[in-house]
């Protein structure tokens, strides 16, 4: 494809007003900078969203997928607006390093520049220009001048229209610029050109920027077994179902976005092969159609349906699927497992590991495919220093070694674990800081082409984000778990005449820590108090507040307050400490001499009272308001008989909550399956209340406290 150079900056005629002027300036920017695709984004009124208003040269499906961008997104266009500067990427590998998600969505070779449209003291939007990859490693001075002048002209136009009271606002869909209908003289020229092409043995077809056929020659229609009138104005894949394949669509997009000639061979319904060569240009694509096997470059892509190795579109699908599933990973090993499941089969990788560094030594955070011996050899090895010949050394750039000799040449002290023969070292970088390295290993020499290097580089960005998220989760989870376990009682006091058992079960791994708590307080030789509660929230704050509530209850209980007074005092304290957090709480005072219990509830679930040989009873108290709502709230008390051998069950909602099950029904079901026996050990009875199957999918933590006065008394 002929390389176009940037035109020198010159004074253009004053642009037309309104959108027509915007379109003129976009076309001038594309042609002046020598680009082949251009778009104008405008900021929405809220200043947080960029909307594509007009574009030229971009396939419509791609334009629609990038039509709406948030300013905070890690995207090329968003960064230019957010940082108010020109942003340039020279090719797909650089795009993959800086914007991995964009590189996966646009797996084509191109260079791009984005300039904010600034004027009148504000940013109006952004101008995006695209060139074929390899066009240049940097923008030339002339190109920068064209981009700066075009951005300034766009800003002046937008300001002028706003001052006139007719601001240009983006529509619901991006507008696609098209040359428009031909004039009569142009029609005559087009007819002459069509007659000339009809004399050639191969077929030709012209597709406009919207992907519709604008011209097709008679030989092309004959090879496709259709009439020209059947294709005119239609999309090729819609008019010919045998070409409606994602593989062919991907090659078409690749030609348009990258500005490179691409080719593919497809099988006609009659069984013969037809070869298509795509020549992209500013206003569309020209297809050259020949019988399969004729004029076919062996280096070009073979028939997609006859390919044995995974194609790029399959790899792309796997990467996009991986990007979605990685959001669920909460540990380093889960990250590796998901990456291994999606990457190793597609790229025929034999081993994968994530390495971190601590104290100057490598640590294997997680691995797949390596033997235990290999992991042991890697773990604890000194960090590999940068190769002496690399100046300047960039720890954020990936490294690919296609053979053992190539690796040893760069790193003479390298060790080949499990007799691997080729490697990809992908730095995991977040916020510009390396946090580790993902190693892909092959059991044979492997050639990394440019597509694979770019895709794996983008993959590293996805892994880095997921791995950092997993590390932060681990730290946060361990902190909250440590805080909560330190605030719960390590042991409960032994009180003569009172048997007890307690259980605490955290939520399913992956959920945050909650605020469930319990306690047993010795008030005298014959009196004790039991408390159970649940602080709103599943975070460190809830765990810390739980400790404060438990301490307050203990302080007021030991001071001799009645159950209602204990809750009232704790309620006022909670409102002062955390006015936006609520807590349910059940407080029970037990008199072992009189065999009675006095309880008060702050919105907590009713306790159960079970006796051997009798149905378990739900103790219906009158619960008051949750703690933390009303400083003047009062809490009624209820006296309950607690005969020797009976068992009082206190619990939190995590024990019984199930999606779709009414809370009242859940409490009744719990009472029905609670059957204490005369001499049954309380720890086993507590365990029986916790359903092992439900425990694996528990969405909330739960606490259980069982109390049984001994038959002989204290």
């Amino acid at each position: 494809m002929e390389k176009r150079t940037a035109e020198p900056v010159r004074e253009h005629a004053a642009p037309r007003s309104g959108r027509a002027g915007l379109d003129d300036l976009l076309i001038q920017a594309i042609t002046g900078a020598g680009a082949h695709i251009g778009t104008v984004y405008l900021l929405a009124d809220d200043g947080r969203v960029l909307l594509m208003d007009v574009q030229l040269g971009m396939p419509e499906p791609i334009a629609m997928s990038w039509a709406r961008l948030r300013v905070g997104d890690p995207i090329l266009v968003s960064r230019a607006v957010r940082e108010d500067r020109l942003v340039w990427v020279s090719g797909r590998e650089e795009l993959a390093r800086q914007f991995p998600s964009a590189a996966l969505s646009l797996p084509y070779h191109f260079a791009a520049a984005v300039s904010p449209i600034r004027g009148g003291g504000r940013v109006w939007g952004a101008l995006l220009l695209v060139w074929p990859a390899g066009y240049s490693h940097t923008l030339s001075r002339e190109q920068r001048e064209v981009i700066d002048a075009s951005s300034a002209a766009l800003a002046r136009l937008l300001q002028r229209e706003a001052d006139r009271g007719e601001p240009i606002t983006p529509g619901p869909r991006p507008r696609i610029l098209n040359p428009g209908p031909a004039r009569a003289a142009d029609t005559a020229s087009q007819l002459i050109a069509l007659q000339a092409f009809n004399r050639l043995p191969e077929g030709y077809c012209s597709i406009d920027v919207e992907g519709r056929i604008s011209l097709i020659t008679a030989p092309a229609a004959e090879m496709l077994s259709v009439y020209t009138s059947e294709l005119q104005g239609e999309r090729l894949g819609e008019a010919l179902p045998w070409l409606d394949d994602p593989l062919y669509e991907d090659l078409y997009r690749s030609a348009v976005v990258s500005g490179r000639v691409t080719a593919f061979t497809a099988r006609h319904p009659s069984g013969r092969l037809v070869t298509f060569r795509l020549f992209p240009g500013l206003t569309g694509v020209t297809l050259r159609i020949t019988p399969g096997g004729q004029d076919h470059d062996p280096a070009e892509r073979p028939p997609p349906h006859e390919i044995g190795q995974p194609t790029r579109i399959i790899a792309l699908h796997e990467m996009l699927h991986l990007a979605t599933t990685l959001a669920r990973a909460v540990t380093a090993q889960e990250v590796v497992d998901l990456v291994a499941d999606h990457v190793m089969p597609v790229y025929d990788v034999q081993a994968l590991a994530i390495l971190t560094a601590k104290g100057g030594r490598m640590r294997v955070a997680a691995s797949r495919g390596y033997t235990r011996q290999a992991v042991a050899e890697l773990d604890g090895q000194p960090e590999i220093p940068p190769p002496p010949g690399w100046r300047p050394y960039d720890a954020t750039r990936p490294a690919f070694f296609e053979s053992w000799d190539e690796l040893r040449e760069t790193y003479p002290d390298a060790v080949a674990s499990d007799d691997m023969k080729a490697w990809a070292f992908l730095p995991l970088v977040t916020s510009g800081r390396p946090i580790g390295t993902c190693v892909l290993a092959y059991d044979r020499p492997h050639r990394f082409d440019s597509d694979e290097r770019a895709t794996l580089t983008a993959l590293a960005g996805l892994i880095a984000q997921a791995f950092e998220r997993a590390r932060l989760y681990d730290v946060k989870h361990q902190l909250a778990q440590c805080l909560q376990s330190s605030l719960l009682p390590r042991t409960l006091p032994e009180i003569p005449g009172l048997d007890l058992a307690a259980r605490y079960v955290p939520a399913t791994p992956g959920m945050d820590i909650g605020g469930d708590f319990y306690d047993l307080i010795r008030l005298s030789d014959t009196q004790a108090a039991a408390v159970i509660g649940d602080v709103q929230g599943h975070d460190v704050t809830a765990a810390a507040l739980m400790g404060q509530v438990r301490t307050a209850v203990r302080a007021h209980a030991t001071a001799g307050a009645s159950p209602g007074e204990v809750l009232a005092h704790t309620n006022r304290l909670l409102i002062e400490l955390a006015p936006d957090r609520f807590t349910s709480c059940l407080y029970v005072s037990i008199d072992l001499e009189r065999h009675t219990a006095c309880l008060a509830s702050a919105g907590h679930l009713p306790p159960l009272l079970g006796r051997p040989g009798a149905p378990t009873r739900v103790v219906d108290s009158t619960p008051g308001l949750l703690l933390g709502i009303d400083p003047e709230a009062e809490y009624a008390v209820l006296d309950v008989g607690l005969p020797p051998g009976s068992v009082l069950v206190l619990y939190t909602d995590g024990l019984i909550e199930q999606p779709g099950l009414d809370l009242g029904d859940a409490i009744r079901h719990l009472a029905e399956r609670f059957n204490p026996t005369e001499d049954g050990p309380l720890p086993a009875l507590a365990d029986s209340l916790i359903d092992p199957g439900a425990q694996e999918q528990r969405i909330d933590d739960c606490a259980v406290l069982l109390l049984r006065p001994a038959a002989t008394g204290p």
Side-chain angles (χ1 to χ4, degrees):
M1 183 176 179
E2 184 180 353
K3 182 184 289 186
R4 307 204 328 269
T5 58
E7 296 182 359
V9 179
R10 59 172 63 92
E11 292 295 326
H12 295 278
R16 293 177 288 173
S17 60
R19 279 199 162 81
L22 193 74
D23 299 347
D24 292 344
L25 290 173
L26 175 59
I27 293 172
Q28 290 174 14
I30 295 172
T31 57
H36 71 289
I37 292 175
T39 70
V40 172
Y41 282 88
L42 297 179
L43 268 175
D45 291 338
D46 61 5
R48 294 182 294 180
V49 176
L50 285 158
L51 300 173
M52 185 187 295
D53 181 65
V54 60
Q55 65 98 355
L56 174 61
M58 186 180 295
E60 185 178 6
I62 293 180
M64 291 306 301
S65 65
W66 293 91
R68 181 184 177 89
L69 306 174
R70 291 179 298 177
V71 173
D73 286 343
I75 302 294
L76 180 72
V77 178
S78 300
R79 176 181 290 181
V81 171
R82 190 169 61 248
E83 300 179 3
D84 194 15
R85 65 178 179 89
L86 186 142
V87 177
W88 159 260
V89 292
S90 60
R92 189 180 170 207
E93 286 194 39
E94 185 174 351
L95 182 72
R97 284 196 298 112
Q98 296 191 43
F99 310 100
S101 59
L104 289 176
S105 299
L106 293 171
Y108 312 118
H109 295 276
F110 63 90
V114 184
S115 173
I117 301 173
R118 167 172 283 284
R122 60 174 288 188
V123 174
W124 297 88
L127 169 65
L128 165 67
L129 298 177
V130 177
W131 294 263
Y135 182 85
S136 176
H137 290 295
T138 60
L139 287 171
S140 67
R141 179 178 59 84
E142 292 81 5
Q143 287 174 313
R144 285 183 175 271
E145 290 177 352
V146 169
I147 294 172
D148 290 343
S150 300
S151 299
L154 285 165
R156 288 194 297 271
L157 173 67
L158 292 166
Q159 181 72 66
R160 185 170 65 246
E161 296 302 308
D163 292 343
R164 291 175 52 198
E166 299 179 0
I168 299 175
T169 56
R173 295 170 62 90
R175 293 180 297 113
I176 302 175
L177 293 187
N178 228 335
R183 299 190 302 270
D186 295 331
T187 303
S189 300
Q190 190 179 45
L191 181 60
I192 294 172
L194 180 60
Q195 290 174 343
F197 279 108
N198 279 338
R199 300 185 190 112
L200 299 176
E202 61 267 22
Y204 290 91
C205 175
S206 179
I207 299 177
D208 63 20
V209 293
E210 296 187 56
R212 300 187 183 280
I213 299 171
S214 56
L215 180 148
I216 183 168
T217 65
E222 184 177 352
M223 274 184 277
L224 299 176
S225 302
V226 294
Y227 294 105
T228 56
S229 59
E230 295 175 353
L231 295 183
Q232 200 76 25
E234 299 293 326
R235 298 182 189 275
L236 196 62
E238 295 174 356
L240 302 174
W242 55 282
L243 290 179
D244 187 15
D245 190 299
L247 294 170
Y248 307 142
E249 176 67 21
D250 178 61
L251 288 168
Y252 165 74
R253 295 184 185 183
S254 176
V256 175
V257 176
S258 66
R260 293 179 172 181
V261 177
T262 61
F264 65 88
T265 299
R267 192 173 297 279
H268 188 275
S270 65
R272 53 190 171 83
L273 298 177
V274 182
T275 297
F276 298 81
R277 287 172 61 87
L278 292 77
F279 298 85
L282 187 60
T283 58
V285 173
T286 297
L287 269 67
R288 183 183 182 188
I289 306 171
T290 58
Q294 295 185 18
D295 191 30
H296 183 69
D297 187 342
E300 291 174 356
R301 192 182 190 90
H305 291 301
E306 299 177 16
I307 294 175
Q309 296 299 319
T311 60
R312 180 180 66 192
I313 196 166
I314 295 173
L316 172 62
H317 169 78
E318 289 299 323
M319 293 303 102
L320 292 176
H321 188 198
L322 173 63
T324 303
T325 55
L326 276 176
R328 304 196 306 265
V330 295
T331 67
Q333 188 60 54
E334 284 184 6
V335 172
V336 165
D337 289 342
L338 288 170
V339 173
D341 291 343
H342 289 78
V343 174
M344 292 177 72
V346 174
Y347 290 99
D348 200 16
V349 175
Q350 278 66 57
L352 183 151
I354 290 183
L355 306 180
T356 60
K358 186 175 183 180
R361 295 190 175 273
M362 293 188 297
R363 300 296 177 189
V364 180
S367 68
R368 169 81 75 86
Y370 277 113
T371 62
R372 291 185 178 181
Q373 180 180 350
V375 172
E377 290 174 353
L378 286 172
D379 197 51
Q381 288 289 326
E383 283 190 83
I384 300 176
W390 288 15
R391 294 291 186 269
Y393 174 71
D394 187 350
T396 66
R397 288 185 174 275
F400 300 93
F401 300 97
E402 300 184 349
S403 67
W404 168 241
D405 291 339
E406 188 176 331
L407 178 65
R408 284 296 295 269
E409 184 179 346
T410 306
Y411 295 102
D413 298 329
V415 177
S417 300
D418 287 347
D419 198 28
M420 294 295 168
K421 299 294 193 302
W423 298 264
F425 293 92
L426 308 175
L428 306 181
V429 181
T430 59
S431 303
R433 178 179 58 89
I435 61 172
T437 302
C438 179
V439 180
L440 306 181
Y442 303 76
D443 61 2
R444 68 207 174 285
H446 180 82
R447 180 180 174 274
F448 298 93
D449 60 31
S450 58
D451 275 339
E452 188 173 8
R453 288 174 183 246
T455 302
L456 293 178
T457 301
L459 169 68
L462 296 177
I463 299 174
Q465 294 168 12
F467 184 60
E468 179 72 351
R469 195 165 53 243
R471 291 206 313 172
L472 291 175
Y473 171 81
D474 284 342
V475 171
K476 177 184 175 183
H477 190 75
Q478 290 171 11
L479 173 63
Q481 204 167 34
C482 179
L483 176 61
Q484 186 171 37
S485 62
S486 66
L487 294 175
L488 287 173
R490 293 183 181 275
T491 59
L492 295 176
E494 293 185 5
I495 300 175
L498 183 65
D499 294 336
L500 55 93
R503 293 291 182 269
Y504 172 78
V505 181
T508 302
M511 301 294 292
D512 287 323
I513 295 299
D516 287 21
F517 66 94
Y518 62 87
D519 202 359
L520 183 69
I521 308 164
R522 182 182 181 124
L523 300 178
S524 70
D525 290 342
T526 60
Q527 290 186 323
V531 60
I532 196 165
D534 185 359
V535 178
Q536 177 194 28
H538 294 81
D539 50 23
V540 175
T541 301
L545 193 59
M546 172 265 288
Q548 293 173 312
V549 171
R550 176 170 163 254
T551 301
V553 169
R554 177 175 282 270
H556 294 302
T558 55
S562 68
E565 292 172 338
V566 169
L567 294 185
H569 293 318
T570 305
N571 174 53
R572 288 192 285 272
L573 176 64
L574 184 60
I575 290 175
E576 294 178 4
L577 292 175
D580 59 341
R581 295 278 182 139
F582 311 131
T583 301
S584 71
C585 186
L586 177 66
Y587 180 89
V588 182
S589 175
I590 301 172
D591 189 322
L592 296 172
E593 276 190 333
R594 298 172 56 195
H595 298 294
T596 60
C598 180
L599 60 89
S601 174
H604 199 78
L605 300 175
L608 305 180
L609 183 60
R611 298 184 64 181
T616 295
R617 168 190 168 195
V618 178
V619 182
D620 290 321
S621 60
T622 304
L625 289 174
L626 294 169
L627 304 179
I629 295 179
D630 181 5
E632 304 301 325
E634 296 182 354
Y635 298 92
V637 297
L638 175 69
D639 290 320
V640 179
L642 198 62
S646 61
V647 181
L648 188 65
V649 183
L650 282 59
Y651 57 95
T652 58
D653 54 7
L655 179 68
I656 60 172
E657 274 190 338
Q658 294 183 33
L661 181 62
D662 177 75
L663 190 61
D665 292 338
I667 295 172
R668 284 191 291 274
H669 292 165
L670 178 65
E672 289 170 0
R673 62 188 181 89
F674 181 64
N675 298 304
T677 58
E678 195 76 42
D679 300 318
L682 281 190
L685 191 57
D687 291 336
S688 71
L689 292 177
I690 301 172
D691 183 2
Q695 182 177 343
E696 295 182 0
Q697 298 299 324
R698 195 175 302 283
I699 61 175
D700 196 2
D701 50 346
C702 75
V704 180
L705 184 60
L706 272 58
L707 306 163
R708 179 172 62 189
T712 57

